[in-house]
PDB file of all heavy atoms in Angstrom:
ATOM      1  N   GLN A 142      -5.382  -3.642   8.862  1.00 87.00           N
ATOM      2  CA  GLN A 142      -4.902  -4.364   7.683  1.00 87.00           C
ATOM      3  C   GLN A 142      -3.503  -3.828   7.439  1.00 87.00           C
ATOM      4  O   GLN A 142      -3.331  -2.637   7.206  1.00 87.00           O
ATOM      5  CB  GLN A 142      -5.764  -4.101   6.456  1.00 87.00           C
ATOM      6  CG  GLN A 142      -7.172  -4.599   6.559  1.00 87.00           C
ATOM      7  CD  GLN A 142      -7.975  -4.173   5.338  1.00 87.00           C
ATOM      8  OE1 GLN A 142      -7.905  -3.039   4.909  1.00 87.00           O
ATOM      9  NE2 GLN A 142      -8.733  -5.111   4.808  1.00 87.00           N
ATOM     10  N   SER A 143      -2.500  -4.664   7.534  1.00 75.00           N
ATOM     11  CA  SER A 143      -1.125  -4.228   7.305  1.00 75.00           C
ATOM     12  C   SER A 143      -0.705  -4.583   5.900  1.00 75.00           C
ATOM     13  O   SER A 143      -1.205  -5.522   5.297  1.00 75.00           O
ATOM     14  CB  SER A 143      -0.171  -4.880   8.313  1.00 75.00           C
ATOM     15  OG  SER A 143      -0.499  -4.460   9.616  1.00 75.00           O
ATOM     16  N   GLY A 144       0.249  -3.840   5.381  1.00 71.00           N
ATOM     17  CA  GLY A 144       0.774  -4.091   4.054  1.00 71.00           C
ATOM     18  C   GLY A 144       2.128  -3.453   3.919  1.00 71.00           C
ATOM     19  O   GLY A 144       2.671  -2.894   4.869  1.00 71.00           O
ATOM     20  N   SER A 145       2.681  -3.529   2.740  1.00 60.00           N
ATOM     21  CA  SER A 145       3.967  -2.887   2.527  1.00 60.00           C
ATOM     22  C   SER A 145       3.950  -2.170   1.193  1.00 60.00           C
ATOM     23  O   SER A 145       3.196  -2.501   0.302  1.00 60.00           O
ATOM     24  CB  SER A 145       5.103  -3.902   2.582  1.00 60.00           C
ATOM     25  OG  SER A 145       4.971  -4.840   1.540  1.00 60.00           O
ATOM     26  N   ASP A 146       4.787  -1.156   1.104  1.00 58.00           N
ATOM     27  CA  ASP A 146       5.004  -0.434  -0.135  1.00 58.00           C
ATOM     28  C   ASP A 146       6.510  -0.283  -0.287  1.00 58.00           C
ATOM     29  O   ASP A 146       7.264  -0.735   0.576  1.00 58.00           O
ATOM     30  CB  ASP A 146       4.257   0.904  -0.147  1.00 58.00           C
ATOM     31  CG  ASP A 146       4.765   1.897   0.890  1.00 58.00           C
ATOM     32  OD1 ASP A 146       5.905   1.748   1.362  1.00 58.00           O
ATOM     33  OD2 ASP A 146       4.026   2.839   1.210  1.00 58.00           O
ATOM     34  N   PRO A 147       6.995   0.320  -1.375  1.00 53.00           N
ATOM     35  CA  PRO A 147       8.435   0.438  -1.565  1.00 53.00           C
ATOM     36  C   PRO A 147       9.152   1.175  -0.437  1.00 53.00           C
ATOM     37  O   PRO A 147      10.335   0.983  -0.220  1.00 53.00           O
ATOM     38  CB  PRO A 147       8.562   1.208  -2.885  1.00 53.00           C
ATOM     39  CG  PRO A 147       7.279   0.974  -3.605  1.00 53.00           C
ATOM     40  CD  PRO A 147       6.238   0.804  -2.528  1.00 53.00           C
ATOM     41  N   GLU A 148       8.436   2.025   0.297  1.00 61.00           N
ATOM     42  CA  GLU A 148       9.067   2.802   1.356  1.00 61.00           C
ATOM     43  C   GLU A 148       8.984   2.137   2.717  1.00 61.00           C
ATOM     44  O   GLU A 148       9.504   2.645   3.696  1.00 61.00           O
ATOM     45  CB  GLU A 148       8.425   4.196   1.405  1.00 61.00           C
ATOM     46  CG  GLU A 148       8.623   4.953   0.104  1.00 61.00           C
ATOM     47  CD  GLU A 148       7.784   6.208   0.039  1.00 61.00           C
ATOM     48  OE1 GLU A 148       7.200   6.614   1.052  1.00 61.00           O
ATOM     49  OE2 GLU A 148       7.714   6.792  -1.056  1.00 61.00           O
ATOM     50  N   GLY A 149       8.285   1.023   2.845  1.00 65.00           N
ATOM     51  CA  GLY A 149       8.190   0.342   4.134  1.00 65.00           C
ATOM     52  C   GLY A 149       6.786  -0.134   4.432  1.00 65.00           C
ATOM     53  O   GLY A 149       5.936  -0.213   3.557  1.00 65.00           O
ATOM     54  N   MET A 150       6.552  -0.432   5.690  1.00 76.00           N
ATOM     55  CA  MET A 150       5.271  -0.974   6.126  1.00 76.00           C
ATOM     56  C   MET A 150       4.252   0.145   6.345  1.00 76.00           C
ATOM     57  O   MET A 150       4.593   1.249   6.745  1.00 76.00           O
ATOM     58  CB  MET A 150       5.446  -1.749   7.430  1.00 76.00           C
ATOM     59  CG  MET A 150       6.301  -2.990   7.293  1.00 76.00           C
ATOM     60  SD  MET A 150       5.586  -4.223   6.182  1.00 76.00           S
ATOM     61  CE  MET A 150       4.127  -4.701   7.068  1.00 76.00           C
ATOM     62  N   THR A 151       2.991  -0.170   6.071  1.00 87.00           N
ATOM     63  CA  THR A 151       1.887   0.733   6.348  1.00 87.00           C
ATOM     64  C   THR A 151       0.797  -0.041   7.074  1.00 87.00           C
ATOM     65  O   THR A 151       0.744  -1.269   7.034  1.00 87.00           O
ATOM     66  CB  THR A 151       1.291   1.331   5.057  1.00 87.00           C
ATOM     67  OG1 THR A 151       0.768   0.273   4.265  1.00 87.00           O
ATOM     68  CG2 THR A 151       2.312   2.124   4.290  1.00 87.00           C
ATOM     69  N   CYS A 152      -0.070   0.683   7.719  1.00 91.00           N
ATOM     70  CA  CYS A 152      -1.200   0.075   8.408  1.00 91.00           C
ATOM     71  C   CYS A 152      -2.449   0.856   8.048  1.00 91.00           C
ATOM     72  O   CYS A 152      -2.431   2.084   8.000  1.00 91.00           O
ATOM     73  CB  CYS A 152      -0.973   0.099   9.922  1.00 91.00           C
ATOM     74  SG  CYS A 152      -2.304  -0.704  10.841  1.00 91.00           S
ATOM     75  N   ARG A 153      -3.522   0.137   7.824  1.00 94.00           N
ATOM     76  CA  ARG A 153      -4.817   0.754   7.563  1.00 94.00           C
ATOM     77  C   ARG A 153      -5.799   0.238   8.600  1.00 94.00           C
ATOM     78  O   ARG A 153      -5.910  -0.963   8.811  1.00 94.00           O
ATOM     79  CB  ARG A 153      -5.314   0.407   6.166  1.00 94.00           C
ATOM     80  CG  ARG A 153      -6.680   0.985   5.868  1.00 94.00           C
ATOM     81  CD  ARG A 153      -7.108   0.659   4.461  1.00 94.00           C
ATOM     82  NE  ARG A 153      -8.407   1.237   4.192  1.00 94.00           N
ATOM     83  CZ  ARG A 153      -9.062   1.071   3.072  1.00 94.00           C
ATOM     84  NH1 ARG A 153      -8.542   0.361   2.093  1.00 94.00           N
ATOM     85  NH2 ARG A 153     -10.228   1.619   2.901  1.00 94.00           N
ATOM     86  N   VAL A 154      -6.500   1.147   9.253  1.00 95.00           N
ATOM     87  CA  VAL A 154      -7.532   0.776  10.214  1.00 95.00           C
ATOM     88  C   VAL A 154      -8.870   1.230   9.655  1.00 95.00           C
ATOM     89  O   VAL A 154      -9.054   2.409   9.348  1.00 95.00           O
ATOM     90  CB  VAL A 154      -7.282   1.418  11.594  1.00 95.00           C
ATOM     91  CG1 VAL A 154      -8.445   1.143  12.531  1.00 95.00           C
ATOM     92  CG2 VAL A 154      -5.988   0.914  12.190  1.00 95.00           C
ATOM     93  N   THR A 155      -9.778   0.291   9.505  1.00 95.00           N
ATOM     94  CA  THR A 155     -11.135   0.600   9.075  1.00 95.00           C
ATOM     95  C   THR A 155     -11.961   0.841  10.335  1.00 95.00           C
ATOM     96  O   THR A 155     -12.021  -0.018  11.216  1.00 95.00           O
ATOM     97  CB  THR A 155     -11.719  -0.561   8.246  1.00 95.00           C
ATOM     98  OG1 THR A 155     -10.862  -0.796   7.128  1.00 95.00           O
ATOM     99  CG2 THR A 155     -13.113  -0.240   7.758  1.00 95.00           C
ATOM    100  N   PHE A 156     -12.559   2.027  10.408  1.00 96.00           N
ATOM    101  CA  PHE A 156     -13.298   2.418  11.602  1.00 96.00           C
ATOM    102  C   PHE A 156     -14.560   1.580  11.758  1.00 96.00           C
ATOM    103  O   PHE A 156     -15.207   1.228  10.780  1.00 96.00           O
ATOM    104  CB  PHE A 156     -13.690   3.899  11.560  1.00 96.00           C
ATOM    105  CG  PHE A 156     -12.531   4.831  11.339  1.00 96.00           C
ATOM    106  CD1 PHE A 156     -12.663   5.917  10.500  1.00 96.00           C
ATOM    107  CD2 PHE A 156     -11.311   4.625  11.966  1.00 96.00           C
ATOM    108  CE1 PHE A 156     -11.607   6.786  10.300  1.00 96.00           C
ATOM    109  CE2 PHE A 156     -10.246   5.484  11.768  1.00 96.00           C
ATOM    110  CZ  PHE A 156     -10.395   6.570  10.921  1.00 96.00           C
TER     111      PHE A 156
END
Side-chain angles (χ1 to χ4, degrees):
Q142 295 175 315
S143 297
S145 63
D146 65 20
E148 299 169 11
M150 295 297 294
T151 62
C152 182
R153 178 178 181 183
V154 174
T155 302
F156 305 139

